[in-house]
Each structure stands twice: as C-alpha cells, then as structure tokens.
Amino acid sequence: MATQARPDTSDSFASRYAAVRQLSLAIAAPLSDADATIQPMPDASPAKWHLAHTTWFFETFLLRDHVPGYRAHDERWAFLFNSYYEAEGERHARPRRGMLSRPSLDEVRAYRGAVDAVMMAALPGFSAEALALVELGLNHEQQHQELMLMDLTAAMAENPLKPAVWPAAPWRPRPDYDAPRMLHIEGGVVEIGHDGTGPSTSLRTGFAFDAETPRHQHVLRPYQIADRPVLVQEWLRFMDEGGYADPLLWLSDGWAWVQAEGIEAPLYWEKGETGWLRFGLDGLQPVNPAEPVCHISYYEADAYARWAGARLPTEQEWEHAARMSDPDAGDFFDAAGPVRPKPPLEPPRIEKFFGGVWEWTASAFLPYPGFRPTEGAVGEYNGKFMSGQMVLRGGSSGTPRGHMRASYRNFFYPHQRWMFSGLRLAKDL
Amino acid sequence: MATQARPDTSDSFASRYAAVRQLSLAIAAPLSDADATIQPMPDASPAKWHLAHTTWFFETFLLRDHVPGYRAHDERWAFLFNSYYEAEGERHARPRRGMLSRPSLDEVRAYRGAVDAVMMAALPGFSAEALALVELGLNHEQQHQELMLMDLTAAMAENPLKPAVWPAAPWRPRPDYDAPRMLHIEGGVVEIGHDGTGPSTSLRTGFAFDAETPRHQHVLRPYQIADRPVLVQEWLRFMDEGGYADPLLWLSDGWAWVQAEGIEAPLYWEKGETGWLRFGLDGLQPVNPAEPVCHISYYEADAYARWAGARLPTEQEWEHAARMSDPDAGDFFDAAGPVRPKPPLEPPRIEKFFGGVWEWTASAFLPYPGFRPTEGAVGEYNGKFMSGQMVLRGGSSGTPRGHMRASYRNFFYPHQRWMFSGLRLAKDL
Amino acid sequence: MATQARPDTSDSFASRYAAVRQLSLAIAAPLSDADATIQPMPDASPAKWHLAHTTWFFETFLLRDHVPGYRAHDERWAFLFNSYYEAEGERHARPRRGMLSRPSLDEVRAYRGAVDAVMMAALPGFSAEALALVELGLNHEQQHQELMLMDLTAAMAENPLKPAVWPAAPWRPRPDYDAPRMLHIEGGVVEIGHDGTGPSTSLRTGFAFDAETPRHQHVLRPYQIADRPVLVQEWLRFMDEGGYADPLLWLSDGWAWVQAEGIEAPLYWEKGETGWLRFGLDGLQPVNPAEPVCHISYYEADAYARWAGARLPTEQEWEHAARMSDPDAGDFFDAAGPVRPKPPLEPPRIEKFFGGVWEWTASAFLPYPGFRPTEGAVGEYNGKFMSGQMVLRGGSSGTPRGHMRASYRNFFYPHQRWMFSGLRLAKDL
Amino acid sequence: MATQARPDTSDSFASRYAAVRQLSLAIAAPLSDADATIQPMPDASPAKWHLAHTTWFFETFLLRDHVPGYRAHDERWAFLFNSYYEAEGERHARPRRGMLSRPSLDEVRAYRGAVDAVMMAALPGFSAEALALVELGLNHEQQHQELMLMDLTAAMAENPLKPAVWPAAPWRPRPDYDAPRMLHIEGGVVEIGHDGTGPSTSLRTGFAFDAETPRHQHVLRPYQIADRPVLVQEWLRFMDEGGYADPLLWLSDGWAWVQAEGIEAPLYWEKGETGWLRFGLDGLQPVNPAEPVCHISYYEADAYARWAGARLPTEQEWEHAARMSDPDAGDFFDAAGPVRPKPPLEPPRIEKFFGGVWEWTASAFLPYPGFRPTEGAVGEYNGKFMSGQMVLRGGSSGTPRGHMRASYRNFFYPHQRWMFSGLRLAKDL
C-alpha cells in the first residue's frame, strides 16, 4: 500500500472520499435487508458486511488512531467487522458472517453516515501519513465494491427463483468474430512493477499497493499475445470438442477438481432448452457469444490455452504488453452499471487490456524482488496472501472505474471462479 | 395422522383455523426480514420458510385438491416450500433454505393472507375427508410453531451480539429444591397409544398422529418415576462432579460425540464471569437453578441418569404415569409468551408431566404393533422417520397450548438438542 | 455376559478352550502376513488384530487378574490390542489398526501360544468366577471369528485382483423356489429373553450375554412370519422393478443413504457381462438365486419388506417363532468351511431360523426391562452400545457352530452391511 | 526428461541399470511382507508398490514398446501399478494402494527379476530413443527410492511401537554452532536451468528432467545466502520463543494450517521426558541439535525465515549460488545408509548446497520460459504438476548418490513435510 498520498488538496480528497463511499451505497440500493444479509459460501461475504467492514477500516485506522477523543460507534462491532487483521484482535468467524441478521442494513447505513460525518470533518486536518491511509481506505473500498458485486451474484444464484437485481442490458446477436490477432512483442530486459521507489510510491506516480513494488528488471523472451480475451463463442467450441472431458488438457490438480466437482461449464452457466444460459445480476440470460468468457477458474483457463495450442501469458508479459493500452478506456463499472463483460470493440481494432474480465496469468502471486510489506496492521494487506494463489490482471466490468493500472496485481486460488475472470492467450515467438 | 375430524362445526373449525394461523404470525412479529431469512444449520429452517411451508401445506392438500379451479399463488414456490414429501416432487435442498432472501417476509405474509382468504371461504363446504386434512394441517402448523421458536433461538445464538427477541421474564432465586419424589407405579398389562381404533381416530377421541396408533397392550414391570424433571441445580452438580469427563457414564456413541464436539454443558450455555449463562429468545441470562434443565441431547440425558443411579423411563412407562396428569395444566406456549421452561410448582406438590421441557425416553421411535401409515402424500408424515430417533414426551414451554396429549410422541436423533429437551428419572422397583 | 459358568468340569473346559482357540488359527491359516495386516475400513479390523485382541482378553481378565505373578507377554501390547474397554485405559485408534505391520503374524501366533500355555495350566485351578470369565472369553472369541471372516471379506474385496482365500463350493442352478410359506402364530403374553434370572444365567441354562436378560413378559399380537429368509432370486426381482430407485419405499434416513452412497445392489455385488456377480472369500462368483440374499443394510431390508407388502418381524416375534427350531440344525461355520449362505432345505420343508444369514428385525437394540450390565470392566460388553443400532437374529454361515441360541441378540447400525445379513418377512394377521 | 542419452556404451548402461535396480531391493531388504504393504496416507505408497511401479515403467515404456513379442508379466498389474499416466489408461485409486496384500512382496520381487532379465538382454540392441527412456526410467527409479524412504518413515511412524528399520548411527553432542555465514552474491543477468538446448539435453551435459529446461536468462539483484541450512538448535529457539503461536509470522494459509492441524513442531517430533525426540528409520531418538532441521513444511520454513529477519531464497538465487558447490560432495543416500541429515562440516568451512535436507525456496513450481513437455505418455512427467507446489533444491540424505545437480527442481505442496525438507536463509543486500 502507499505510504504517501498524491498531492491532492484535502478538498479533492473530500470529494473523492464522498464519491467512493457513495458508490458502495448505490450498489446496495436495490437490496432488501435480507438480500444484504445472506452469505452463499465462506469465500463470499454479505453486502451488509462489506458496507460495515469498509467503514470499520476508516473508523479503526483513521478515526481511532488519528482523531483524538473519537469514541467507537459500537464497541462490539470491531469483532464483527474486522476481516483478517490479526494485529487488530479476535474476529467473527468468516463462514458465519451470514448469521448477522443484526445489525440491520439500516443500522449499517447509519454507521456509515456517522463515520463519514466525522471523516469529512477531520479530513482537512489529517497529516500526510493519515491521508495515505485514507487513500488506502478508498482503494480498499473499491476492492470491496467489486467483491460486493461478486458476492451478490453468488448469493442470488443460490435462489431457485434466479432473481435479477437490475434489468438486463439489451444486446443483439452478431456475426462470428475473427480469431484474435496475435501481437508480436520483442523480448529483452524490461521494467516491471509500479513506477515508485522501494515499497512506497512517489507523489508523482500515484497510489499502488505494496505488492506492485518495487519496480524491477525482468528478462522477457520474444512472445505473442492476443489483442483481446477469449470469447464465449470460442469457449463453446472448446466445450463442444470435449475440452472438459480430456484429462490430457488439464493440470493434475485441475483434473482432480473437474472430477470432484463435476465441472462442465463456467460458473453460473446452465443448460436451457435452446442453449446455454448464464446467471448474473441481470438474471438468467442466454450466453452472449460476443462477450469475453467469464467466471472461469485458472484450471479452466490453463486447459483452454493448451487446447488452443497456446499458453497463458506471465504477469510480466501481460504488464509489458498492457503498457500500450489506456486503463481509462477500459470497460469498468460505475454508477451507470450494469455489471457484465462487454464485447470487444470492432474495427478499427484497438488493443484493449483493461476491463471486461480479469485475465488469468501463468504467474503465482509471489513477492517481487526486494518486496517489503508496509509497517503496522495495514501491512497484513497483501504479503500474507502470497501463497497458493495466481495473478490476474486488467480489471473487469465489476471493477470501479479509476481503480485500475497496468501494474495492478489481483490474485485468487486456482479453483476459484466467482470473480469476473477470463483469459487471454499467449505464445512463444 | 387423523383420517376423521372431531365433530366440530365448520364454524368452530374456522375460528380455530384463524387462531392457529394467527399465532404463527405473532411469533414472527418481532422479526426483521433478515431475521426471518437466516438459517443457522441444516436441521433448522428460517422463520420465513416455516411461515410459507405451513401455508403450502394448506394450498397443496386442501386448495389444490379440494377447491376446484384454484390456481397456485406462485407456481414456482412449491419447489421452495415443500419440506420432504417425495410424492410431491422435487424440492429445494434443505441446507440452502437460508439463501432465500426472496420472496421477502412481506411477500410470504401476503401469501398467507391470500391462502387464508380462500381457506376461510372454502371451509364451510369441505367434506369430512377435507376437514380431517385441515385438522392435520393445523396440528402440523402447531408443530412448526415450536420449530420456529427452536430455529430462531439457534439463529440468534449465532450472532455474537446475542440479541434478545423479547424481554426476559423476571425470576427470583429460590432456595434449593428437595430431591424429586419418586412415584411408585404398579406393573401389569396396560393400554398404550391413542384411544382410537387402528390407524384412524374416532370422532370421540379427537385428533392424533398416525404414529400414536393403534392403541395396544404392553407389559409393564413395577417402576418408579420422578414427579418432576431434573432441574438446573441438579445438572450443575453433575457438571461439577465431572459428569462430562467420565467415559464410563456414557453410551459409546455418546462418548464419541462428547469428544468430537467438545461438549461440556447444555446447548446455549456459556461461562460468564460469575457463573453459567444461557442464551434464549430473551437474550443471554444467568441460568436459573430452579428451572428444568433444557437443550440436552439423549446422550446427556442417559449419562445423567446413569450418574444419578437411575435410568430414563420407557415411553410406555412415561405415558402410563402421565395419564394421571392434566395436559391442560401444562406450561405451554401461547400468545402471552415468553418461551422458557418454568420451575415446577411447589407444595402442595402436583405431579406434572406436561409442558416445561420435552422429556427424553429410553424408547426408539418405532411403529406400534399394527401401525399403518395414512394413505397418500400425507402418509409420509411420520412413518418414514422411524429410524435412528428416540422418543420424547410431554411437550415444552415452546409447544403451543392445546397441542399436547399423553399419547403424543415427539422424536429426535440422540445427538440433537436445539429443541426444548430435558429429562425425568425412573428406576426399577 | 454370564456371571456363572455351566457345570462343565475344567476338563471339558480345557478341550473347548483348545477347540475355540484352534478355530481362530484355522481361519487365519491361508493368510499371509500382509493379508492379516490390512484394514479396509474403520469398522473392520485386521485378522492379526483379532488374533491378538482375543488373546489380550484372556491375558488381561484371566492371567493378569487370576494368575498370581503373571507377567505380560509384552507390556506395550495392551495399548495395541484393547478394543474399547475404557476402564482398561488408553488404546490405539481403531481406524489406524491397519498400520500395525509389527508385531508380525508369526509374533502374534507366538503370543497366542504363550498365553494358551499358561491358560491351559491355570484352568484346573480357576474359581467359578474366573471360569465364568473364561466362558465369556470363549464366546467373545467366537464373535471375533465371525468378525474375522467379515473383515477379511471386506479386505479382499478392496483388491482389484479379487483374490479368493479358499476355493468356491460347487452349486447347481435350481428351478425357482416357491414363495415362502407364511407361518401363522398366535399372539398373547409370551416370555422373551434368556431363561435365567436377572442379569446372570443359571447353571442349568448355559451361557448368555447380559443383553439377553432378564427374561420377561411381552405382549404379541397374532402375526405371520416366513418359513425362510428372502432369496437372491427374489431380491433380483426387487432390483428389476426399481426398488432402489423409488423413494416411497424407503425410510428417510435410508433414502439419504442410497442417494449419498449410490447404492443399487447388495454389498460386494458387481455387474458382470452376463449377470450379477458377488465377491466372497471364495472369490468373485455369479450370484446364486437359491441362496438367501446377504450383505444388505437395515434400510435395504426395510425397503424390500415394504415393496413386498410385508414388514420385518420384531425381535420378540422372531424369538418366539424361532423357539420351534433347533439352533444345532443351522447352517453355521466350522473348520470344514466354506463361509457362504446356504440355500434353504427343500421339501419336506423345515422351518429354519438359524444360520445362513443374520436376519434384520424391526427392533432397536435397547435394554430389556430390568436389564443390568455385569459389574467391572467386562460390563462394558453390551450395554454401552445400546444406541442407534438394530437387532439381528439367528446367526449366519459365518457364525461358529455352537455359538447360537434363540435369545441371541446381534446388533449393527442400520447402514452397515459387511456382516452376513439378510431378512425374513413378517405380516400382521 | 531427456530425449537423448549420454554417450554411454550399453555396457555401462547395463551396469548402471543393475546398480540402480539393486539399490531399490536393498532398501526393501529389512522389510516384511506386511511392512511393504501398508500405506500410512494417500500421499505415500507402500514399498511394494514402489518396487512394482518402477518395474511397470520399464515393462511398459521399454519392453512393451521396444521389444517385439514381449508379453506382460501379468496383464492385470498395469491397472495396479500405473501411477498417474492418464494416457496409459485407468488405474487403481491411489488412497487404496495399502489394500494390496496381493501380489506379495516375493511376487513383486519375482516380477522385478523377470523384467530385469529381459531388460538386460535387450539393452545392447536398444535404439538411442529407447536408451533415453531407460535413462529416464533409472532417474525415475531413483526418485522412487527416496519416496520409498519417505513413505516407510511415515508408515513406521504410525506404529505406536515406533519400530526401527535399521540401527541408529551414533552421534556425539557438540558445542553450539556459530550463526551461519552469509555469502554475498552479485546480481546481474545470470543463466538458469540445465545446460541443454530447448526441451532436450545435449549429449555433453547429461540427463535432466524437462522441467529444468530450457536454460534461460534471469535478472538477479545482489543478495546474501547462508552457507548452510538452519540447524535443529536454531529451530528449538524459534519454538521456545513462540514461533508456532504468533500469527504475524505466518502466511495466511500457513496460519490456518497450524491452527487446523495443531502444529507445534516438525513432523515426527514428540516431547519426551527429557526433551524432544524425533522418529526416523532408526527409531525414536533424541533430536540432534547439530543436524539440519528436517520434515518441515513450506509454511514453517517461511515463518522461520520471517522470525529470523530473513527470507527464503528464490530458486534462481539458490541455483546461481549452488554452482560453486560440488554435488558429488553432498550427503546423499547410498547402500551404506543410514538415512538421516548430516551436520554441516566444520572449519575450514565449505559452502555446501547438496544433500542433508532439501531446501524450500520462495519459488512456485512453474514452467521456465519456453518450456515444452516431452511428447508422449512420459510427457506427463512434470508439466502437469505445475500448479500449487513450491520448489525445493539440493537433494537430501534420502536422495540416492549420483542423482543430484544444481539445476534439479523438486516440488511439493506447501503443507507437505514427510519428505526430508529443511531450509536455508537468504536476504537482500
């Protein structure tokens, strides 16, 4: 995480604080108290919990530590809404978060309001160190906004009525896309990581999480990388040709997972009478062949790439190629919604690396050379998860606009797929 | 279940129907949508589900089958709210009932209102056969009222805030009770079971479930049975003297359960700074030494009895002794609440067998000689559960007033204890 | 268990001791060290363990307690070969018995020899109390002989080579049997249990386990009971007509078991190219339509009975009917082998209740009225298993000849089926 | 794996073949049939299985494919002794390998003899392609020799008698060692991987597995690396200072593992009356403070490094440093035994990187840039395991002498620790 904030005035901080906090409420707006309470699996949290936990972050690391005389909104809530910070003490068991019918959604909204009021009053007086924590808190909240969308999708998918949280966006069937174009990229020694120095980030370069640093050199061999992610129409071919049934396409762990779980399609897909359907926050809809395939595991991504005679890019290959692309042009989530992968733009082709779906890479989530976690409780942010997970890059249509950059490293376990995850192919040259 | 109704006029049926249906709503009145949605464990169901399932029972077996032209309130709901009737088709997986944030509590209340309106209109025209099903449906709903109380307690107990659904009733500490008086009862050939003939019940004798029939002869040896259940003050002595730590007191299955689950007190008990506390719908309160011990498993009841140099009564011993007692004088639940075991009445002693806590017996839940389940889908009511469960007798403070009788057989697995379960001692003479 | 021995002289005791001990070795004779070491599931024990545990019983309860100055063969072995006697201290975890490659089979045989030598020398001087324990030890060993056959079958069945421990006995296909004849039996108050007084057994009546006592009165309604168990040919019809696929035939627990385990035939059956095969200690063989069906669970027995429009007999009905039959005429196991259910004898029909297969009854394994377990460590023999299990009656072709009687109560959990278990039908009259 | 063999004459091939095959038998020599049959956990295989599986490898990929007219020793055994080659068809479930009491150890030895006889006769006539497979088979067998030692240790550790397979080597307590010396190593672009070209290896450079190729460039920052692994005396200090109890030292997955498994010491350690003991093939012995700590997981290694203010080296850092060390000088296993980590040599210090214990690195087991698995069934050798595992380097005292080299990549899951695993510290410069 960043130890120094960008040179925003506290005014622009205040407006950004308000905007980010507001977007969380907007996501939860269509939810009932019960919608916001249920937890579909231990990996996912209730919407209400996300709303409260992100608030606990500001209350704990800013108000408690930087606002003299602040008294906790409710002392018992720290136990409920701490996520995983061991240094912050005991906390409620993650798989039981769905038992919290109380506090109610309205009480949590009131909690947000109370904390925001003190925050807004305190912001102008915050030190640079405190402002860096605010910056971290806002990025943290943006991460939870995407988690809220993921977890809500998982929760609604459990309901046999398949309720839609918002209306579906219209789309028209389109003709088949051409195969993706493979971009040829020179190798050599390249720079990887956020453009800061050491574990902190400079004022010039803006915020980054600690795991994106330090910037360092890496040797790349020449490679090819596709100009767009794999589309549903291509995935359907993989399925038709028995991709889920051929052990030789799969990693050993992946094949065990396919067998044990009976996997035969991406998550949230089900067979309808006239073809495959997929569930999303817009309800149960026919799959759109022109969209990037979404909700796949690393195992599936890897098997598809092998089937296609290709491979996944490493995170360094991805990052190096993505520098040519503008994050601000990505398909991201904002208050306008809706949350779903967008089909790639059509000719004239633009090489897009951001938004739509997160893209699995072939890289394990491990520390960069010279990595050091931030000091203090917030230092538990990334480093302790550097085991067993793979890196995804690029952001998705569930990522809030403005949160993404080329050096951004997301990470999940190889079997997980409730995030908005897809893939892009690469090859040796 | 009964195949013939009591000779109520349909008027008295209508008022009783309205009263029973109303009590379910009264139980749910203090609940939020979220409170009514969560499911703490697969054995328990959300309050909303109980409200809907009992309604589904009337909609399916009465309105669909006995009201020509009736159209389902929502055709998709049968899948959600069928509990276990295989003959009624597929149903939603029991452990996922807590995922139903929709329909909302208000929608379920509207469902109840709609079905009740048609029911009230149709009642006067129902055949005797249909009225028998209404009778069954009302008894079924009363059972779910107690389940709702049990399941709500389990749900609220999961919340670290330990919320109270209603205020605690005051109680004053009292001096120690004397040991229970042991009633001496003659043996011989006695009559057991509901006073009807065969699987049905006569008009004279009132409703009974099929499992209480047929009435039959049973040989009893002379025995002693306590005039009241075991109290908390006695249970505390069992705990103090190492009852939970001595394998020789326990059934083999029971000892395995104690070890695997780390059991050391009744369910919902926790150690406070000045003594044991117990959680209930009135919140977390100090245990009351004068109350019957509650929320214990069969294994615990059996171990206690062995520790006390006694044993559990068989269900026949219990029933024969209980005939001297008046069910209507029992401590039952009604709209006045609250739900908690009551201390036994004081001198002059009255031998009470009803209400307060369900009492584990030494008898497995098996068919009586000559038992035949009712025909049709409602025939799945009891018979198919006659495996692995033990009989409890007498009703509890969570049983709705008017639901109990001496022949009533409740049943649970020996490890379960989220029901209002206690014990009464017996001995050979 | 018996507290008094039959009035055998110690001579006849000695010869019986030698014969019983010898039969255990005969069962193990065809086994390699490895055969005798493996454990196919936690419920089953290695042959070597049975050989050692039965020896530990005599070493502990006779030599240690009744032979002054006796020193343990190996002090560390008590930990290994105690089965479940809590009063005898800690013991090796049951599911890890298959890890004991040492001591070797030969070392265990040497252990047997050493203990037997001291036992044979000490027998003439034993008190009546000690002789009662010897009697118990011999009956205990006979039980383990059947367990050894069961567990060996389970172990060999795990081997894809399906090895035969001994050659198959020849059988010729026979024409279809007639339906079983239903014996009509008068009801009334009958005597049930071993013919002793209280928890002990008289000298006159011979040995019985404590659970068979005390003899007591029981009311029987008139009933019918089949003159033979259900045969494979009949079971095949149940399978053909979808018996394993119709939930309405099954107990709720049974149906859950069928679904979870994917049950579609008795244990050890597999589909061959020309019909069903079954594995046994004589290898993989075609099923014999004329044999009693074997290796079924209580759930299967109960479902079959319901499908056949009948029910299982209670243990009292079974015992009362079986008094007309001679245990010594049963199909039991002896040194001549082989172990497999025998087809019922043909006309003139003889009502046989003993041997062939154990027969599930509709009764839970619970204490008889007035039951009291024996004092001391051997008192853990039966009483602590009186929970969750069902009674089987009559012995099987895996029961050693001479071990059976009408009052004998065997017991297993309703889902278990690695014992030689079948069923006999009953009906109300 | 290698596609071309070294320029051995077939004569030297023959003698090496004989020697490697002989060492497997030597390892198994002290084992009984039962010792060689049991399987302590799904990850481990019985010794008998290893002996047969390595033979199946030669029988399948050499005799079947390269010796015209060869007939399988027993056609049913391919099902038993294929490990994981999907292309070779169905195979016996890994967790049930301990059920194979048959074939016996002697039958497996006979199988080895029969295959070896044909192999020795055929070797002179083998093509270069076949010889490359022989080379692979020998390296494969050496890997299984270490697995046999690991799995035997795990099996014997399950026995409460803690049997020793061979006598313990004597050792004398020695004074405390100094802290390890940290070697300072320059960074820069270095060459990593086996010195061959592409997925094959040149005749000049000798055998390597495919995962060690291709050799490629890697950027290293300047770093320090210890001149010896962490010793038991140091690990005891970590334990004394609460290393296993402080969540802030652990990766998130590691802490969950510590909590769930109740970890508080390396595998096979137990508290004796006068200090810690450790089990090995030489029985239960006091821990030797001067030995490298062994049988630790990646999580433990990582937590120790954090506690020590250091980190684990990456596999590239390790390999680059190890090039200065001679594999042939390592503490490896050979027929002389015994198998246990050796204390590091004393002054004059020698920087040893080989033998003793495998050393966890900070690198995930992933393909090198440009990696391509070998074609055909043997191509399943490494690539499909490139998920979720971490790299270990250097070999151990359980690795057969002659099997090791600087580029060798071993890999295990981060929680595993039944291999001979330790760690060496590194730091940034």
Side-chain angles (χ1 to χ4, degrees), chain A residues 190-332:
Chain A
V190 301
E191 297 278 315
I192 295 295
H194 188 66
D195 190 5
T197 53
S200 69
T201 59
S202 75
L203 291 177
R204 183 178 50 78
T205 54
F207 178 84
F209 288 109
D210 55 2
E212 300 168 54
T213 65
R215 192 164 175 92
H216 61 282
Q217 292 189 314
H218 186 87
V219 181
L220 284 183
R221 295 160 53 116
Y223 63 104
Q224 311 175 49
I225 192 165
D227 68 338
R228 62 157 173 80
V230 171
L231 303 183
V232 164
Q233 69 184 24
E234 293 159 336
W235 198 267
L236 289 166
R237 218 171 303 136
F238 171 67
M239 289 167 64
D240 285 349
E241 296 186 11
Y244 281 99
D246 179 359
L248 295 178
L249 294 175
W250 294 78
L251 289 165
S252 180
D253 284 358
W255 184 243
W257 171 78
V258 162
Q259 303 268 90
E261 306 289 324
I263 305 292
E264 52 176 28
L267 185 63
Y268 304 136
W269 285 37
E270 57 183 72
K271 254 185 200 137
E273 293 186 6
T274 60
W276 285 96
L277 309 171
R278 68 105 190 90
F279 180 74
L281 291 174
D282 54 355
L284 195 60
Q285 306 289 346
V287 298
N288 180 348
E291 276 185 354
V293 67
C294 190
H295 293 303
I296 57 167
S297 69
Y298 174 77
Y299 300 133
E300 288 166 285
D302 175 86
Y304 179 92
R306 193 166 292 112
W307 171 81
R311 59 173 174 81
L312 299 178
T314 64
E315 63 170 323
Q316 292 85 8
E317 289 172 335
W318 192 97
E319 180 171 330
H320 182 62
R323 300 261 182 217
M324 73 179 69
S325 182
D326 177 9
D328 294 337
D331 297 319
F332 292 114

Side-chain angles (χ1 to χ4, degrees), chain B residues 337-349:
Chain B
V339 177
R340 59 185 306 185
K342 304 290 195 325
L345 296 187
E346 287 268 53
R349 282 185 177 280

Side-chain angles (χ1 to χ4, degrees), chain B residues 86-87 214 217-219 221 247-248 250-253 255 299 362-364 366 369-370 380 383-387 413 428, chain C residues 86-87 214 217-219 221 247-248 250-253 255 299 362-364 366 369-370 380 383-387 413 428:
Chain B
E86 300 279 354
Q217 292 188 314
H218 186 86
V219 181
R221 293 159 55 115
L248 296 178
W250 294 78
L251 289 165
S252 180
D253 284 356
W255 184 243
Y299 299 132
S363 300
L366 290 172
E380 296 183 45
K384 77 179 185 183
F385 298 110
M386 289 176 172
S387 169
Y413 289 98
D428 292 339
Chain C
E86 299 279 353
Q217 292 189 315
H218 187 87
V219 181
R221 292 159 55 115
L248 295 178
W250 294 77
L251 288 165
S252 180
D253 285 356
W255 184 243
Y299 299 133
S363 300
L366 290 173
E380 296 183 45
K384 76 179 186 183
F385 298 110
M386 289 176 171
S387 168
Y413 289 98
D428 292 338

Side-chain angles (χ1 to χ4, degrees), chain A residues 86-87 214 217-219 221 247-248 250-253 255 299 362-364 366 369-370 380 383-387 413 428, chain D residues 86-87 214 217-219 221 247-248 250-253 255 299 362-364 366 369-370 380 383-387 413 428:
Chain A
E86 299 279 354
Q217 292 189 314
H218 186 87
V219 181
R221 295 160 53 116
L248 295 178
W250 294 78
L251 289 165
S252 180
D253 284 358
W255 184 243
Y299 300 133
S363 300
L366 290 172
E380 296 183 46
K384 76 179 187 184
F385 299 111
M386 289 176 171
S387 168
Y413 289 98
D428 292 339
Chain D
E86 300 279 354
Q217 292 188 313
H218 186 88
V219 181
R221 293 159 56 115
L248 295 178
W250 295 78
L251 289 165
S252 180
D253 284 357
W255 184 244
Y299 299 132
S363 300
L366 290 172
E380 297 183 45
K384 76 180 185 183
F385 299 110
M386 289 176 172
S387 167
Y413 289 98
D428 292 340

